[in-house]
């Protein structure tokens, strides 16, 4: 599949369910150097519509078979520094053959849209490895700002340090429309 085809490929978003959890576990095993336990996936489920799996839809339309292209895994946390909650983006990844089609951008946009609808959720944040300059550029396009460096955040990868990226979800986030996305009934 060429980059041009990937850019045009529609996706179907699906929530994390018993049926889709296996796909998310497989994606995480391929893309991330960490093995996530059951508690990780329980947190993802509790985040509701913020956690999504993106399936590439074949040419035959909605009835066609679909393959997982990427996913965003989130959890909601109480924010001790305020009277609200915050969205923690645990993982966001797209299979290499599906990159370039804005799937990651659509997943992140959807998660921020969903979180911003809840007035109790005040911000979104995540950790990024200090040498992941591509991730810094990606998240900065969405208004995330670099914060403090956490020394030795990662246990088995080099470099072990992470930068915390944060984004306010108050008045500064305006809900954005998603193009080329259909939703399973339980995903929206």
């Amino acid at each position: 599949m060429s980059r041009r085809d990937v850019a045009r490929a529609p996706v179907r978003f699906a929530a994390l369910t018993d049926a889709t959890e296996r796909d998310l576990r497989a994606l995480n095993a391929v893309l991330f150097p960490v093995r996530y336990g059951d508690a990780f996936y329980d947190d993802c489920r509790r985040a509701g519509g913020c956690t999504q799996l993106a399936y590439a839809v074949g040419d035959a339309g909605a009835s066609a078979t679909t393959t997982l292209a990427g996913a965003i895994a989130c959890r909601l946390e109480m924010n001790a520094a305020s009277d609200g909650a915050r969205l923690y983006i645990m993982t966001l990844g797209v299979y290499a053959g599906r990159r370039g089609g804005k799937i990651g951008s659509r997943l992140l946009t959807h998660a921020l849209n969903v979180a911003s609808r809840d007035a109790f959720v005040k911000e979104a944040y995540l950790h990024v490895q200090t040498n992941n300059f591509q991730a810094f550029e990606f998240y900065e396009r969405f208004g995330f700002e670099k914060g403090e460096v956490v020394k030795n955040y990662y246990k088995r990868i080099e470099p072990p340090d992470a930068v915390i990226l944060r984004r306010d979800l108050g008045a500064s986030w305006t809900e954005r429309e998603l193009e080329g996305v259909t939703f399973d009934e339980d995903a929206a």
Side-chain angles (χ1 to χ4, degrees):
M1 182 176 284
S2 72
R3 284 277 187 214
R4 184 176 169 160
D5 293 333
V6 170
R8 285 191 260 167
V11 292
R12 175 180 57 84
F13 280 7
L16 182 60
T17 64
D18 289 341
T20 61
E21 184 177 317
R22 182 183 77 244
D23 290 341
L24 181 57
R25 285 180 183 267
L27 176 96
N28 286 344
V30 169
L31 297 182
F32 302 107
V34 176
R35 296 295 169 247
Y36 299 102
D38 292 339
F40 174 94
Y41 297 96
D42 291 342
D43 285 344
C44 292
R45 287 179 199 268
R46 284 190 289 273
C50 295
T51 294
Q52 292 291 303
L53 288 79
Y55 291 87
V57 178
D59 292 334
S63 64
T65 58
T66 59
T67 56
L68 184 66
I72 187 167
C74 303
R75 78 172 172 235
L76 294 171
E77 304 175 341
M78 293 302 298
N79 187 351
S82 73
D83 62 350
R86 56 190 181 173
L87 177 72
Y88 180 60
I89 300 166
M90 297 188 288
T91 62
L92 171 57
V94 176
Y95 282 120
R98 297 290 182 177
R99 292 182 189 152
K102 303 286 185 189
I103 294 170
S105 294
R106 289 183 273 178
L107 286 163
L108 180 58
T109 296
H110 180 71
L112 297 174
N113 282 348
V114 170
S116 71
R117 291 177 197 145
D118 184 339
F120 196 63
V121 180
K122 307 290 187 194
E123 73 172 352
Y125 82 106
L126 68 148
H127 292 83
V128 174
Q129 194 173 14
T130 55
N131 67 342
N132 193 342
F133 303 109
Q134 187 176 10
F136 292 136
E137 291 175 11
F138 174 79
Y139 287 104
E140 286 170 356
R141 287 195 304 265
F142 287 85
F144 282 82
E145 297 177 352
K146 291 180 183 175
E148 62 272 19
V149 173
V150 180
K151 296 289 187 188
N152 298 311
Y153 179 76
Y154 300 106
K155 304 301 179 215
R156 294 180 193 90
I157 58 176
E158 290 293 328
D161 304 334
V163 176
I164 296 178
L165 301 182
R166 287 189 173 83
R167 195 212 193 288
D168 178 67
L169 287 179
S172 69
W173 176 259
T174 302
E175 190 160 329
R176 300 175 185 176
E177 185 176 334
L178 295 172
E179 294 182 15
V181 176
T182 56
F183 293 89
D184 282 357
E185 286 183 25
D186 56 352

